[in-house]
């Protein structure tokens, strides 16, 4: 069975990551799943952005949570990638959920937190998800931060949880069990065939990131999902 192909930050190989144009490109490709990163602004709005600063992916500077949404809207989040995307605005999670509803799109939401109030952010996320008409099956929540995962387990009942980790460790195994996880989302470079078999035997799906060369799947036989910046490379595989 072929793995689920997940558009990493939309279609990040061809479009500015985590933007509306990148998400719409994934929909145009016919993808069922995308992965995005979310974090709060200064005024507690969840926006779609990977880095904790906007330096790399916009013409602005500073931390996301040092700017209000209104301030972030003033910056260009597309031109850094290519001039044809000039004027691309930062996207809120609420806006993304509306797009997902309209196009029957499923989303892996990675919660990116470092110094923020985890419980407060998770509650904000919960409220947004509950207002959305997307089914719980269309959402996979994940984070590298174990405290965040435990809060998601506590507050976001019924949503699938994916433990994110670079490699399969004893701590990862413990967290998988503690939060009744759906999947273990592993760095493809450090994932072994034994890891895949052990996880699946224990009832967990295995999704691997970030795979841009289809030949890599030869060493990841049987995985359930694959994250890629170039998802089109995986759509026609037998």
């Amino acid at each position: 069975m072929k793995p689920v192909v997940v558009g990493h930050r939309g279609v990040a190989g061809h479009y500015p990551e985590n933007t509306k144009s990148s998400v719409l490109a994934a929909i145009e490709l016919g993808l069922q799943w995308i992965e995005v990163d979310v974090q709060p602004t200064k005024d507690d709005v969840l926006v779609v952005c990977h880095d904790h600063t906007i330096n790399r992916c916009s013409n602005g500077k500073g931390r996301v949570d040092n700017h209000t949404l209104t301030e972030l809207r003033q910056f260009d989040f597309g031109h850094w990638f290519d001039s044809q995307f000039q004027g691309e605005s930062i996207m809120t999670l609420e806006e993304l959920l509306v797009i997902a509803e309209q196009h029957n799109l499923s989303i892996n939401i990675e919660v990116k937190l470092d110094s923020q109030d985890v419980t407060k952010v998770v509650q904000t996320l919960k409220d947004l998800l509950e207002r959305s008409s997307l089914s719980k099956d269309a959402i996979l929540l994940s984070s590298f931060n174990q405290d965040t995962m435990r809060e998601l387990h506590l507050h976001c009942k019924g949503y699938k949880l994916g433990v994110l980790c670079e490699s399969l460790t004893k701590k990862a195994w413990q967290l998988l069990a503690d939060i009744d996880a759906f999947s273990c989302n592993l760095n493809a470079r450090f994932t072994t065939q034994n890891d895949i078999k052990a996880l699946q035997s224990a009832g967990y799906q295995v999704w691997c990131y970030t795979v841009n060369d289809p030949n890599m799947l030869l060493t990841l036989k049987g995985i359930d999902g694959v994250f890629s910046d170039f998802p089109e490379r995986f759509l026609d595989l037998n």
Side-chain angles (χ1 to χ4, degrees):
M1 190 171 175
K2 292 195 298 185
V4 172
V5 180
V6 185
H8 187 233
R9 306 177 196 172
V11 185
H14 299 293
Y15 294 82
E17 63 183 59
N18 283 323
T19 60
K20 183 177 179 180
S21 64
S22 193
V23 171
L24 293 177
I27 292 167
E28 186 69 24
L29 276 175
L31 296 185
Q32 178 190 351
W33 280 88
I34 61 166
E35 180 271 349
V36 298
D37 310 277
V38 302
Q39 57 186 298
T41 63
K42 186 177 182 179
D43 49 345
D44 299 317
V45 179
L46 290 180
V47 290
V48 183
C49 187
H50 177 272
D51 299 1
H52 287 300
T53 71
I54 60 173
N55 302 26
R56 179 176 63 88
C57 291
S58 82
N59 60 347
K61 289 186 178 180
R63 284 181 60 92
V64 173
D65 58 6
N66 281 345
H67 295 84
T68 65
L69 177 61
T70 299
E71 291 167 345
L72 288 169
R73 294 284 201 204
Q74 298 172 8
F75 301 121
D76 187 319
F77 281 78
H79 189 270
W80 70 274
F81 188 85
D82 191 280
S83 59
Q84 66 176 305
F85 301 110
Q86 184 173 347
E88 189 88 39
S89 179
I90 197 167
M91 183 168 49
T92 66
L93 177 58
E94 186 171 19
E95 290 167 343
L96 174 59
L97 290 172
V98 170
I99 293 171
E101 290 168 16
Q102 294 170 342
H103 296 276
N104 202 25
L105 183 68
S106 299
I107 314 172
N108 175 199
I109 300 172
E110 180 183 341
V111 183
K112 304 284 290 190
L113 301 177
D114 54 5
S115 58
Q116 300 92 341
D117 183 328
V118 174
T119 303
K120 183 178 180 181
V121 172
V122 168
Q123 188 61 54
T124 301
L125 174 60
K126 176 190 175 186
D127 292 344
L128 277 176
L129 293 176
E130 288 183 344
R131 291 203 302 269
S132 169
S133 64
L134 277 177
S135 74
K136 289 185 175 181
D137 281 343
I139 299 290
L140 174 63
L141 303 175
S142 60
S143 179
F144 279 102
N145 184 288
Q146 292 213 359
D147 290 339
T148 301
M149 291 307 302
R150 294 184 189 281
E151 286 291 314
L152 289 168
H153 174 60
L154 190 63
H155 297 289
C156 297
K157 299 294 185 184
Y159 289 96
K160 295 190 292 244
L161 302 178
V163 172
L164 256 176
C165 44
E166 288 287 333
S167 60
L168 189 57
T169 62
K170 287 182 179 179
K171 281 188 176 181
W173 274 113
Q174 187 63 55
L175 183 60
L176 285 162
D178 289 349
I179 67 172
D180 191 24
F182 165 79
S183 67
C184 188
N185 299 359
L186 288 164
N187 189 325
R189 291 179 298 163
F190 308 122
T191 302
T192 68
Q193 212 62 53
N194 285 339
D195 292 337
I196 296 167
K197 289 177 182 177
L199 285 163
Q200 291 175 337
S201 294
Y204 305 112
Q205 288 204 9
V206 181
W207 295 26
C208 288
Y209 67 91
T210 303
V211 185
N212 291 331
D213 180 359
N215 289 323
M216 245 185 121
L217 292 184
L218 296 173
T219 61
L220 298 168
K221 291 178 181 177
I223 62 170
D224 302 285
V226 57
F227 298 88
S228 183
D229 297 320
F230 300 92
E232 75 281 359
R233 297 175 181 175
F234 297 82
L235 295 180
D236 297 323
L237 298 179
N238 294 323

